[in-house]
Amino acid sequence: MLEFLRGRDVLVAGWGVSGRSLVEPLFDIGARPVVTDSGATALAEAAELGLDVATSAELEASQSATWSRFALVITSPGWRPDSPVLASAVAEGIPVWGDVEFAWWVDQARIYGPVRKWLVVTGTNGKTTTTSMVYSILRAAGIASVACGNIGLPILDALRRNPGPQVLAVELSSFQLHWAPSVRPEAGVVLNVAEDHLDWHGGLDAYAAAKARALLGRVGVVGLDDPVAASLARRSKARRTVGFRVGVPADGELGVVDGKLLDRAFTKAAILAEAGEISPPGPAGIADALAAAALTRAIDVAPQFVREGLVEHKVGPHRAALVRELGGVVFVDDSKATNPHAARSSILAHQHVVWIAGGQLKGASVEELIEEVADRLIGAVLIGVDAPRIAAMLARHAPQVPVVEVSTGDHAGMGGHTNGSGNADAVMTRAVRAAAEFAGPGDTVLLAPAAASLDMFADYAHRGRSFATAVQALEDEDLGRRL
């Protein structure tokens, strides 16, 4: 499949982590990488490594004769299909792959050893937690494995490891799946599908269709508690499709009975773990654990290793992580809750919540979320560019909930929203102090923004660290003054 690239130029669109991972494999198969990127610094870095480079403007203005030098374009996942460079390539008849699609064919061609088993995880929320759980279970079973993909390590870098893994726990975003139509995992799961990245995909149907590409292999797994994910079971092209639910499972499903995770899909009935042993706690964590169990049971990992791996797994930073308890108030960092669906799970894990939310909603609606969680909110503190939209929905559906909006304009010397660290951290400090004033013993101050972070912060991790720093600075007298 890759022979057509030997001796030919391949355009690498995007000099990020995925773009860098392409270079050595392209050289290894005899192709010549040419890098393009919208940033001058990125191109300069690539050129310093001795690589050919081309600016986006040069490529967009190129004639057919120039495009004919390229056998293939490999795009970073974030590049939209209507990006001018990619649209020009398609118009010239040049195939466009994602880095995951290329990695799949590199693996199938055995460039770096025997073909691996891919266990693919996708969904709007819970991808990283589930992928980490899969990896933990594989390690418990003594299977040479690695967690890769959207979780941080490029798949190509994982394939090039020596000694190499036998199984890949692969987290894939909707962007990556859009550009990877050939991937046929040994088992793949769609955890859930809610409004997210609609501006990129053009609508929920296209977004769900991209997620459904995880269901093209030997075993497809779907989250039955999520209506959109459950509907994908009917469209699954997997040779076998199973489901999981946070409830009593039917035959062919995984679920929970009397506080125990149970497999009724790959055996008559096998207990996998106690619900109380799962981290993070609550329905969302249990759902992720069931999904991870389904993927690993699909490749015959024994139940005892599933339990061992799930018990050993600990939640990562900024994913419903406990920051501190002060005066009976619990402070939780779920900065990774970057959309309303994720925020829903986070809020429903607590009885009395002071909610810190806001950022970039990316076209998603918070109306249904607020309707569902209104009775758990004792206060809301809003930040970021879409704070007014969230405030309007709170006024409509939860008028009893007191709301404070902390905008960048409220801080001396600030004008408008910014991702400058000092300004963003100052806003977060004010937000945390305002939230603390709503809280008393037994309450949870929860950072679950329901929105992306880039209007103010470098990324969701920066937002989480900023929250944690502000929380650690609190003292007992900062609590409960509004009660």
Side-chain angles (χ1 to χ4, degrees):
M1 181 63 186
L2 300 177
E3 286 298 318
F4 77 104
L5 300 179
R6 189 173 300 279
R8 298 289 306 279
D9 288 346
V10 173
L11 184 64
V12 175
W15 188 241
V17 173
S18 62
R20 292 177 179 86
S21 74
L22 292 164
V23 173
E24 290 302 323
L26 285 170
F27 280 134
D28 288 343
I29 63 174
R32 295 186 298 267
V34 179
V35 177
T36 187
D37 194 281
S38 59
T41 301
L43 290 181
E45 180 184 315
E48 287 178 5
L49 296 175
L51 300 173
D52 288 342
V53 299
T55 68
S56 299
E58 290 170 345
L59 291 167
E60 292 164 28
S62 295
Q63 302 299 313
S64 297
T66 300
W67 275 105
S68 64
R69 68 184 282 208
F70 297 114
L72 176 69
V73 176
I74 307 179
T75 179
S76 294
W79 285 44
R80 293 167 52 134
D82 58 0
S83 299
V85 168
L86 303 186
S88 296
V90 171
E92 295 295 338
I94 310 300
V96 178
W97 293 2
D99 62 299
V100 174
E101 176 83 356
F102 179 67
W104 172 260
W105 288 113
V106 165
D107 191 28
Q108 298 302 301
R110 296 174 169 81
I111 303 299
Y112 299 114
V115 174
R116 280 72 170 185
K117 292 180 179 179
W118 291 40
L119 302 181
V120 167
V121 179
T122 195
T124 303
N125 299 300
K127 294 188 295 296
T128 298
T129 297
T130 303
T131 304
S132 299
M133 287 175 167
V134 170
Y135 178 49
S136 184
I137 293 169
L138 294 171
R139 283 187 301 167
I143 297 172
S145 58
V146 66
C148 56
N150 196 56
I151 201 170
L153 177 71
I155 300 171
L156 288 164
D157 288 354
L159 293 175
R160 294 174 62 225
R161 285 190 169 184
N162 188 16
Q166 297 172 297
V167 180
L168 305 180
V170 187
E171 177 185 330
L172 293 182
S173 69
S174 59
F175 304 158
Q176 290 169 312
L177 284 162
H178 173 89
W179 292 115
S182 301
V183 172
R184 300 292 185 270
E186 188 72 9
V189 61
V190 179
L191 301 168
N192 43 61
V193 180
E195 289 186 347
D196 200 15
H197 303 303
L198 302 190
D199 49 352
W200 196 97
H201 289 279
L204 184 60
D205 288 345
Y207 175 60
K211 294 292 188 186
R213 286 185 169 172
L215 308 176
L216 298 176
R218 187 176 67 83
V219 177
V221 182
V222 295
L224 298 174
D225 293 328
D226 181 271
V228 181
S231 73
L232 296 180
R234 298 187 294 272
R235 296 159 50 184
S236 171
K237 299 299 189 344
R239 278 178 270 169
R240 181 188 180 194
T241 303
V242 303
F244 66 91
R245 65 176 76 244
V246 183
V248 178
D251 289 340
E253 298 176 0
L254 292 87
V256 181
V257 177
D258 296 331
K260 295 177 173 58
L261 278 63
L262 190 69
D263 173 15
R264 299 189 65 187
F266 300 98
T267 186
K268 185 175 181 180
I271 295 174
L272 302 174
E274 298 283 342
E277 297 175 318
I278 303 303
S279 174
I286 292 171
D288 293 343
L290 289 166
L295 293 181
T296 50
R297 292 288 290 139
I299 60 168
D300 298 323
V301 173
Q304 64 264 33
F305 297 125
V306 173
R307 178 185 181 276
E308 184 179 333
L310 291 176
V311 169
E312 289 180 352
H313 173 266
K314 301 302 177 188
V315 67
H318 317 302
R319 293 173 172 84
L322 173 66
V323 174
R324 184 185 184 190
E325 183 174 346
L326 177 67
V329 177
V330 173
F331 293 81
V332 175
D333 168 16
D334 200 9
S335 184
K336 189 63 171 65
T338 57
N339 55 64
H341 187 270
R344 171 190 177 275
S345 298
S346 195
I347 294 169
L348 292 178
H350 307 277
Q351 289 299 315
H352 306 289
V353 174
V354 181
W355 184 30
I356 299 179
Q360 297 167 305
L361 288 172
K362 301 172 293 183
S365 170
V366 295
E367 187 164 14
E368 291 185 6
L369 164 67
I370 290 171
E371 285 182 303
E372 183 172 1
V373 305
D375 61 347
R376 299 197 179 219
L377 301 180
I378 59 173
V381 179
L382 308 178
I383 63 174
V385 67
D386 283 329
R389 292 178 57 192
I390 301 174
M393 289 299 101
L394 284 163
R396 177 181 299 179
H397 298 292
Q400 77 283 3
V401 176
V403 176
V404 171
E405 290 186 58
V406 183
S407 73
T408 53
D410 290 336
H411 186 75
M414 296 184 185
H417 297 279
T418 174
N419 63 0
S421 295
N423 290 356
D425 293 340
V427 171
M428 181 61 78
T429 295
R430 296 190 66 223
V432 167
R433 289 189 173 277
E437 291 180 355
F438 284 125
D443 298 335
T444 300
V445 173
L446 174 66
L447 174 66
S453 59
L454 298 180
D455 58 327
M456 291 176 62
F457 298 91
D459 50 30
Y460 77 84
H462 172 203
R463 180 169 60 188
R465 291 192 302 271
S466 182
F467 172 78
T469 298
V471 168
Q472 295 296 349
L474 292 174
E475 298 179 359
D476 283 318
E477 55 265 32
D478 294 315
L479 299 174
R481 288 201 292 268
R482 292 183 187 269
L483 298 180

